[in-house]
Amino acid sequence: MSEMSETTLSAAPAPLPVQPPPGCPFEPPAEFAALRTAEPISRISLPDGGWAWLATRYADIRAIFGDTRFSSDTTIPGYPLGGMTGGHTTDHRGFIRRDPPEHTRLRRMVTREFMVKRVEALRPEIQRLTDELCDAMEQAHGREDGAIDLVEALALPVPSLVISLLLGVPYDDHDIFQRLTGKLLSRTIPDDERETARGELRGYLHQLVSSKEAEPGDDILGRLIVEQQRTGEITHDDVVAFAALLLIAGHETTANMIGLSALTLMRDPESADRLRRDPGLIRGAVEELLRFHSIIRNGPRRVATTDVEIDGHLIRAGEGVVVAVPSANRDETVFPDADRLDVRRPNAQHHVAFGYGIHQCLGQALARVELQVVIGTLLRRFPTMRPAVPDEEIPFRTDMAIYGCHALPVTW
Amino acid sequence: MKITLDADKCCAAGQCVLIAPEVFDQRDEDGIVVLLDDAPPAEQHEAVREAAAICPAAVIEIHA
């Protein structure tokens, strides 16, 4: 290696920090705390050889999310695509990768589906599904008298069943879309493999949407076909993009929050007891768990469409920004004693785990209800549940854009 | 307290409805915010301030 290229290498900024400190799977990467103090807007290198700004402070992150001069449009030159999961190509992109007015037009076609009262009406059904899965866990545990994988038995099926039901996607196909989603959200597989998975998922959903066009059901995709596609507002490809976005967003995120939350409460009997004694605290505890775990670990990302100053720092038009959500949610200036899980933290709901600004999570009301129901039920029905393996044997998802556990063997 | 909304900016996250359900609601057709009470009583003020602080699209404006 020539001296020249060595110099270039050493001058290149570090990549996005993703590894929790050794032995501390619930801590965000240690680099974030140092960056918040020393260099809150810093540079990172991207896997494609490019670079982007990295924002680590809560106030800056809210400012960036809340400012539409920072674009979500992946086709704008300078958008930081390098290392982005979910697929590289910018065609057939869903509304989260668009700006107003197109973003607003498309998002508003589905906002009513996830509004608070619609989701609250689903609570009894979510409770019923959860109880059935818990019954099955009890039976399997009695039969096998061994460890149960909580991810496979409960954390994945609840959100997966619910989003399949809402969208009108056959749950029997869940092994297909879970396998493909796993690849789409992997940080470690090669880009071409991820693109192949994206193509496969689109192929599956293309067929599904085609069959629903012939016979639209009383579900989100059916309503999009009848009310938006047949009136010429959107195309078949747009319906497929909606389906892909809602399917991926609807099950991986909540599933990982369930697994991590269950594990932290098993390791924190004082908080678990408090929640068992006073189930009224569960709503607030879910906000704190969302803050504490901040599972979105590979963005979100934006590109500046004009020169913008953030906290005295100039970000030029065409420069990319990566937002470190886990860092914002551990910012001591907003959340005192931020590294401690406090289920009664008064301002926990100020977290940005769902993002902030016009792109803030569309399914947040659904995620909240699912988490409240599942966590409450686990605490009530399995008070002695504990990990069946030592921490170091739990496979944490440091390889994925969404953090969590690949598997969580438990017993009781 | 007097509240006004810039509902064109609303992204239907629904957090205001969770925090202050007696003051805010969502339209059935698209989940966009609706004001139930533009001059809520004192016991609602804290929740309204919290809703305004959390609203992701800065839709809620409070006039003292």
Side-chain angles (χ1 to χ4, degrees):
Chain A
M1 192 183 282
S2 76
E3 208 180 295
M4 186 81 163
S5 63
E6 265 180 14
T7 312
T8 314
L9 269 183
S10 64
L16 175 70
V18 291
Q19 292 295 334
C24 305
F26 303 118
E27 296 309 307
E31 291 89 336
F32 289 148
L35 286 170
R36 281 196 303 272
T37 313
E39 205 183 351
I41 306 279
S42 63
R43 280 174 193 253
I44 52 168
S45 64
L46 301 174
D48 62 359
W51 66 276
W53 297 109
L54 175 70
T56 47
R57 270 187 197 163
Y58 179 90
D60 295 345
I61 284 172
R62 268 196 31 153
I64 291 164
F65 275 146
D67 189 335
T68 48
R69 292 176 297 174
F70 289 102
S71 168
S72 293
D73 186 342
T74 46
T75 64
I76 289 183
Y79 188 96
L81 289 168
M84 194 171 179
T85 56
H88 251 136
T89 52
T90 49
D91 56 337
H92 308 304
R93 63 200 198 281
F95 63 85
I96 61 167
R97 295 184 180 184
R98 294 173 189 266
D99 291 334
E102 192 58 2
H103 166 264
T104 315
R105 186 179 81 92
L106 293 169
R107 179 171 164 128
R108 284 194 179 184
M109 291 179 186
V110 284
T111 37
R112 69 168 163 172
E113 307 284 355
F114 299 96
M115 61 197 278
V116 171
K117 56 192 155 207
R118 290 279 280 267
V119 169
E120 278 300 330
L122 289 171
R123 190 184 286 267
E125 176 68 5
I126 296 170
Q127 182 67 60
R128 192 187 61 76
L129 285 171
T130 304
D131 282 333
E132 279 180 16
L133 291 160
C134 287
D135 292 345
M137 272 170 42
E138 274 176 346
Q139 286 157 14
H141 190 257
R143 220 172 26 243
E144 292 153 26
D145 197 29
I148 300 283
D149 177 6
L150 192 66
V151 173
E152 198 189 335
L154 187 69
L156 252 176
V158 171
S160 198
L161 278 160
V162 171
I163 198 66
S164 301
L165 187 75
L166 292 179
L167 286 175
V169 173
Y171 180 71
D172 288 348
D173 292 346
H174 76 275
D175 52 334
I176 302 175
F177 55 76
Q178 255 154 237
R179 176 177 59 83
L180 295 172
T181 304
K183 288 191 174 181
L184 276 171
L185 297 177
S186 168
R187 240 197 307 248
T188 53
I189 64 168
D191 283 351
D192 55 343
E193 206 177 312
R194 202 181 298 122
E195 282 312 308
T196 306
R198 184 167 184 261
E200 264 189 79
L201 184 64
R202 280 190 53 79
Y204 165 76
L205 292 171
H206 160 70
Q207 281 199 332
L208 179 75
V209 170
S210 297
S211 70
K212 294 181 86 71
E213 281 163 359
E215 216 176 323
D218 183 19
D219 47 52
I220 295 176
L221 296 181
R223 283 188 284 277
L224 278 172
I225 288 164
V226 172
E227 294 168 24
Q228 310 294 345
Q229 187 187 346
R230 287 186 182 169
T231 56
E233 292 293 320
I234 55 173
T235 64
H236 168 91
D237 280 352
D238 291 328
V239 181
V240 172
F242 270 109
L245 170 58
L246 299 178
L247 192 58
I248 295 171
H251 78 279
E252 281 280 340
T253 46
T254 311
N256 283 296
M257 267 305 298
I258 291 172
L260 282 178
S261 301
L263 181 55
T264 37
L265 290 173
M266 285 178 229
R267 292 160 41 114
D268 182 356
E270 196 185 319
S271 294
D273 280 342
R274 185 172 282 155
L275 296 176
R276 259 188 295 269
R277 280 198 307 272
D278 186 358
L281 294 175
I282 285 180
R283 276 172 195 261
V286 163
E287 302 304 319
E288 174 68 348
L289 287 160
L290 285 160
R291 180 196 73 82
F292 187 74
H293 289 305
S294 299
I295 58 173
I296 305 296
R297 298 293 172 96
N298 199 43
R301 300 164 181 227
R302 298 286 187 268
V303 59
T305 54
T306 180
D307 291 1
V308 187
E309 212 178 274
I310 292 290
D311 194 22
H313 195 102
L314 181 66
I315 296 173
R316 294 183 188 279
E319 290 177 347
V321 183
V322 174
V323 171
V325 166
S327 179
N329 285 339
R330 298 289 182 107
D331 190 329
E332 290 280 338
T333 62
V334 181
F335 305 107
D337 204 4
D339 288 337
R340 197 167 70 85
L341 180 80
D342 174 3
V343 294
R344 290 189 297 185
R345 184 180 294 278
N347 70 342
Q349 64 191 347
H350 286 244
H351 67 74
V352 289
F354 290 123
Y356 183 76
I358 58 168
H359 289 275
Q360 193 181 55
C361 179
L362 171 70
Q364 57 184 284
L366 178 60
R368 287 187 164 104
V369 170
E370 289 175 341
L371 289 167
Q372 290 161 9
V373 167
V374 174
I375 291 166
T377 306
L378 275 177
L379 287 167
R380 197 170 61 243
R381 291 188 54 169
F382 300 95
T384 61
M385 185 179 277
R386 59 188 187 278
V389 296
D391 273 2
E392 55 273 20
E393 287 175 30
I394 297 172
F396 287 98
R397 294 168 45 114
T398 53
D399 56 330
M400 304 298 279
I402 297 173
Y403 192 61
C405 315
H406 283 294
L408 178 56
V410 296
T411 189
W412 56 88
Chain B
M1 175 186 276
K2 178 94 174 124
I3 307 170
T4 55
L5 298 179
D6 186 354
D8 285 348
K9 294 196 294 184
C10 177
C11 64
Q15 301 212 72
C16 55
V17 180
L18 291 174
I19 295 166
E22 288 172 44
V23 179
F24 303 102
D25 196 0
Q26 287 174 286
R27 279 201 307 239
D28 286 341
E29 60 270 32
D30 56 8
I32 299 304
V33 65
V34 177
L35 200 50
L36 299 175
D37 186 350
D38 67 353
E43 65 267 24
Q44 292 291 328
H45 289 186
E46 196 187 333
V48 171
R49 282 193 198 93
E50 182 73 354
I54 282 178
C55 173
V59 168
I60 303 163
E61 206 167 320
I62 299 170
H63 314 270

